[in-house]
């Protein structure tokens, strides 16, 4: 990869994601999302990135989950994509904002009825007594909402607006290529890093 050929990291990200879509066995849009509490206690988990554009790298989750609580108190995060079939990694860091309600509604209602019910019933990351309790709650909720499922107020979209994006690709003899893009004053600068 010639560093001068890619001035727009978002375009390069989409090219790599497209490459991954043709080779990954599943979820090429999966990424590890790292958050931290205000006192710096880190945690990480996988999410599915559903949109990446100038508004950010966006995903959906429960605002009352552990990650949701972290983001409310400390709205900064990092994402790490790893495409094993391509031997490539992309790391993204930045500030996180909550997505416009209309966009969250549109995405929520584009999902299957069962997914909507699952999201509405789940008290994500809180203790659950048994699988049976969850299934009973799903059934009860479905009976109470025979047609439309309202989006629960705690189910939100978040967008990570990147100020730092790093592309890593496997090279021979551990001489990997790394390209770091950093944004300042709306402009992306690019440098190469030692592997
Ligand atoms: C491949 C994969 C994709 C996932 N995507 C999401 C997602 O988009 N949103 C979400 O809330 N949880 C997703 N999860 C579940 C999370 O990893 C996690 O278990 C859950 O959100 C609770 O995390 P928390 O307790 O840190 O908030 C995914 C898990 C995997 C393995």
């Amino acid at each position: 990869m010639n560093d001068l050929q890619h001035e727009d990291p978002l375009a390069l990200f989409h090219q790599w994601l497209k490459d991954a879509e043709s080779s990954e066995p599943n979820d090429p849009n999966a990424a590890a999302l790292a958050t931290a509490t205000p006192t710096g206690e880190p945690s990480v988990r996988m999410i599915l990135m559903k949109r990446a554009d100038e508004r950010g790298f966006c995903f959906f989750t429960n605002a009352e989950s552990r990650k949701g609580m972290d983001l409310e108190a400390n709205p900064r995060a990092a994402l790490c994509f790893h495409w094993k079939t391509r031997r490539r990694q992309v790391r993204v860091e930045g500030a996180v904002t909550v997505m416009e309600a209309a966009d969250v509604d549109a995405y929520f209602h584009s999902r299957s009825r069962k997914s909507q019910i699952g999201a509405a019933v789940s008290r994500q990351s809180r203790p659950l007594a048994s699988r049976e309790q969850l299934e009973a709650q799903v059934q009860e909720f479905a009976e109470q909402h025979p047609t439309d499922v309202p989006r629960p107020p705690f189910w939100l979209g978040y967008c990570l607006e990147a100020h730092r994006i790093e592309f890593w690709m496997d090279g021979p003899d551990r001489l990997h290529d790394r390209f770091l893009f950093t944004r300042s004053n709306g402009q992306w600068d690019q440098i190469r890093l030692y592997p």
Side-chain angles (χ1 to χ4, degrees):
M1 183 167 72
N2 182 332
D3 21 358
L4 298 176
Q5 279 176 357
H6 295 92
E7 288 172 1
D8 176 5
L10 208 55
L12 180 56
F13 173 80
H14 279 292
Q15 185 184 315
W16 279 26
L17 179 61
K18 197 165 169 233
D19 291 343
E21 282 166 357
S22 68
S23 56
E24 288 295 314
N26 51 47
D27 296 336
N29 58 332
L33 168 74
T35 59
T37 65
T39 53
E41 195 83 29
S43 60
V44 64
R45 78 291 289 154
M46 300 303 292
I47 53 91
L48 295 178
M49 189 282 300
K50 294 291 182 174
R51 186 177 91 193
D53 56 26
E54 63 290 341
R55 292 165 293 183
F57 290 72
C58 305
F59 55 92
F60 296 88
T61 193
N62 186 314
E64 297 170 6
S65 65
R66 184 175 178 191
K67 72 183 98 47
M69 310 280 262
D70 275 3
L71 290 173
E72 188 176 348
N74 177 18
R76 289 176 293 167
L79 287 167
C80 182
F81 296 83
H82 177 214
W83 296 297
K84 289 189 181 191
T85 55
R86 298 279 167 180
R87 297 180 186 273
R88 287 174 175 172
Q89 168 182 258
V90 176
R91 297 164 62 180
V92 185
E93 292 159 37
V96 177
T97 54
V98 173
M99 195 186 286
E100 297 275 331
D103 288 350
V104 187
D105 283 335
Y107 178 70
F108 183 80
H109 293 293
S110 75
R111 303 171 88 214
S112 71
R113 173 174 163 79
K114 283 187 173 169
S115 294
Q116 293 178 36
I117 292 172
V121 164
S122 177
R123 300 285 170 259
Q124 193 177 56
S125 310
R126 277 158 288 180
L128 169 64
S130 66
R131 175 92 203 170
E132 290 68 34
Q133 179 175 322
L134 177 62
E135 289 174 4
Q137 285 174 329
V138 165
Q139 196 177 337
E140 189 185 349
F141 187 95
E143 286 164 9
Q144 287 167 351
H145 300 86
T147 53
D148 291 347
V149 178
R151 173 173 68 85
F154 52 77
W155 198 85
L156 298 180
Y158 294 86
C159 296
L160 190 165
E161 195 185 338
H163 63 73
R164 187 181 165 105
I165 306 180
E166 188 207 304
F167 296 82
W168 181 103
M169 59 193 294
D170 188 62
D173 307 319
R174 310 206 74 75
L175 299 180
H176 316 300
D177 284 313
R178 293 177 68 188
F179 297 98
L180 174 64
F181 292 78
T182 49
R183 195 169 61 173
S184 57
N185 302 324
Q187 287 282 108
W188 285 105
D189 291 322
Q190 185 192 155
I191 56 168
R192 185 185 266 272
L193 301 176
Y194 276 100

